[in-house]
Amino acid sequence: MSDLQTPLRPKRKKILVDYLVQFRWIVVIFVVLPVSYFIYFSLYLGDTWSAMKSEKRRQKEHDDNVKKVVKRLKERNPKKDGLVCTARKPWIAVGMRNVDYKRARHFEVDLSAFRNILEVDKERMVARCEPLVNMGQITRYTCPMNLALAVVAELDDLTVGGLINGYGIEGSSHLYGLFSDTVVAMEVVLADGRVVRATKDNEYSDLFYAIPWSQGTLGFLVAAEIKLINIKEYMKVTYKPCRGNLKQLAQDYADSFAPRDGDPSKIPDFVETMIYTPTEGVMMTGVYASKEEAKKKGNKINNQGWWFKTWFYQHAQSALKRGEFVEYIPTREFYHRHTRSLYWEGKLILPFADQFWFRWLLGWLMPPKVSLLKATQGEAVRNYYHDMHVIQDILVPLYKVGDAMEFVHKEMEVYPLWLCPHRLYKLPIKTMIYPEHGFEHHHRQGDTPYAQMFTDVGVYYAPGPVLRGEEFNGSEAVRNLERWMIENHCFQPQYAVSELNEKDFWRMFDADHYEYCRKKYGAVGTFMSVYYKSKKGRKTEKEVAEAEAAIAEPAYAEEV
């Protein structure tokens, strides 16, 4: 595969931080894992207590907490108190980007009480949730009813608020779009203290379309109504190995969920593909199945949720040796199949955690909380991970997936790669992310007249050069990747480490509607702008003062 040759790099001399990272497992085992387990158990008890309360009591608590947020906002003195953000500690966020904006002067509002499931309406098929409700909590509540959110992000700790204000995807997104596309209504506290309910067809419809990807910079989301779907007790999963070059693997992946003949009966309920090497991958498709079907004689049931089970990505990889096979996984366990191993990041954190003996003895303590990993890593290790480790998602049009994987290989050599398709809808308003102009006229595979099929290419792990002890410039690799993304109409979720300057940020995203809503709803000079929050590095006092005074450069919207 001469077209995928990577540059020759000199060996890198080890320094102190390399050894801190190499032996970090000691801190993880003796500090992070036990504390994580205690926190998980405490949250479980809190969630159980919340579920035992009546809906009326939960709603009253919600209304009282909203009043506290409004009161706190009105206490702010714009001349001296700084820009508004949540009181959540910087290291609690589930993401690798340094939350540097909280190191500068700011005004905090506490949203920590907003973690209740307020209502599950089986008639309207919506779940009304507060922003800190996480995926583990909501599936624990709804799956016994044979209901689930239309899009359930894989990791337990991901919250409703983060998935709406930011980005969320799952193997059902080829049917329902991103997590924010499944939202029916949002309850938002605006900069002036007004509490509004935004839907796609009421007077706040402009706000409804502006909030996704805004990173909480238009107001405080305090509740959301999210689409529910009917499910069954099991997921029937088919594992199919595929081989070839990256372009061929990309085509096999597209064929797994977007049949070329357009037959809707061939479209699965779930799709996921993992690319393990430049020539090998495994495609997984799932359809919901009843308990009666799963337990028929001859069918294999895999209780993937048990702590001692082989990590899911390694279990799927076995198809490369076994060949195609089918099994049934309990639906809730399937939803959270990557939680215990944090996809494959767990292997990097604890190199022996995937071994049989560790899984049996200590697997029940997994996973470590990402927030605790960040809290215990220190400045040097944190900077090391920024430079020597990749956590990126590339949202790329389906027909360019092969090109994207080849580019990632040449720049980073990260494997496995995670592929997950999603619809990007053509909306009545052009939002921060949007389909390619005129996509509906090309009739490409997976596209419909109302949505273009995209794919999240997940790039999570240490790059090949780092693993081989070679020199690697992480900042340069990310800059090259971001440049390629802009040129190819791709989008980068903002939780990731970014090297974008403001001009390039607004070349990747569309600013017009977002800025219109910032001004209309009084967010300018009150809430931070999305670029201000996403920008790498600590904010200077001058940047803080300019943002507070609403001295904002017009967003760059020039064409590439």
Side-chain angles (χ1 to χ4, degrees), residues 95-112:
M96 290 303 296
R97 176 172 55 86
N98 289 343
V99 189
D100 291 311
Y101 64 86
K102 289 194 176 180
R103 298 183 175 195
R105 179 161 43 86
H106 60 277
F107 183 82
E108 294 186 345
V109 177
D110 186 7
L111 299 182
S112 61

Side-chain angles (χ1 to χ4, degrees), residues 13-32:
K13 185 178 179 180
K14 283 193 173 184
I15 57 177
L16 176 62
V17 70
D18 291 287
Y19 296 101
L20 293 176
V21 171
Q22 182 179 350
F23 294 102
R24 190 166 172 237
W25 61 267
I26 299 173
V27 176
V28 174
I29 284 185
F30 293 104
V31 178
V32 175

Side-chain angles (χ1 to χ4, degrees), residues 467-480:
L467 296 175
R468 294 192 297 267
E470 299 170 357
E471 288 188 0
F472 180 76
N473 188 327
S475 296
E476 181 182 358
V478 170
R479 277 194 293 270
N480 292 340

Side-chain angles (χ1 to χ4, degrees), residues 313-479:
Y313 84 95
Q314 294 175 337
H315 174 66
Q317 190 176 11
S318 68
L320 293 171
K321 293 182 179 179
R322 296 172 57 182
E324 182 175 337
F325 67 97
V326 178
E327 65 183 11
Y328 292 79
I329 301 177
T331 298
R332 185 171 184 273
E333 295 179 19
F334 179 79
Y335 284 154
H336 302 293
R337 62 200 177 278
H338 291 300
T339 290
R340 197 173 300 281
S341 61
L342 298 174
Y343 286 88
W344 30 91
E345 286 288 308
K347 179 72 172 173
L348 207 57
I349 299 163
L350 291 170
F352 43 78
D354 61 337
Q355 300 300 305
F356 179 79
W357 62 269
F358 183 93
R359 288 187 276 111
W360 266 98
L361 294 177
L362 295 174
W364 53 276
L365 287 172
M366 294 288 283
K369 281 192 74 70
V370 174
S371 56
L372 283 179
L373 290 172
K374 292 165 68 176
T376 57
Q377 66 188 8
E379 191 75 16
V381 174
R382 182 177 75 155
N383 292 333
Y384 175 93
Y385 281 130
H386 273 212
D387 294 333
M388 302 294 174
H389 183 248
V390 180
I391 295 281
Q392 294 283 343
D393 285 277
I394 309 166
L395 274 58
V396 57
L398 176 61
Y399 71 96
K400 294 183 178 181
V401 168
D403 295 331
M405 290 196 295
E406 289 187 345
F407 190 87
V408 169
H409 177 89
K410 292 176 182 178
E411 286 292 330
M412 298 173 176
E413 282 187 83
V414 172
Y415 292 96
L417 295 174
W418 185 67
L419 305 183
C420 184
H422 70 90
R423 282 176 168 164
L424 189 56
Y425 289 100
K426 184 179 180 181
L427 300 173
I429 295 173
K430 189 177 183 181
T431 58
M432 283 181 64
I433 65 168
Y434 51 94
E436 291 179 301
H437 179 71
F439 76 90
E440 63 271 29
H441 303 304
H442 293 283
H443 306 290
R444 296 189 182 98
Q445 188 174 7
D447 291 355
T448 64
Y450 54 85
Q452 184 177 10
M453 192 63 74
F454 269 59
T455 284
D456 180 344
V457 179
V459 189
Y460 326 125
Y461 209 61
V466 174
L467 296 175
R468 294 192 297 267
E470 299 170 357
E471 288 188 0
F472 180 76
N473 188 327
S475 296
E476 181 182 358
V478 170
R479 277 194 293 270

Side-chain angles (χ1 to χ4, degrees), residues 299-315:
N299 289 342
K300 177 177 173 52
I301 293 177
N302 175 16
N303 293 294
Q304 185 63 37
W306 284 104
W307 76 89
F308 52 81
K309 283 285 188 174
T310 301
W311 287 357
F312 184 77
Y313 84 95
Q314 294 175 337
H315 174 66

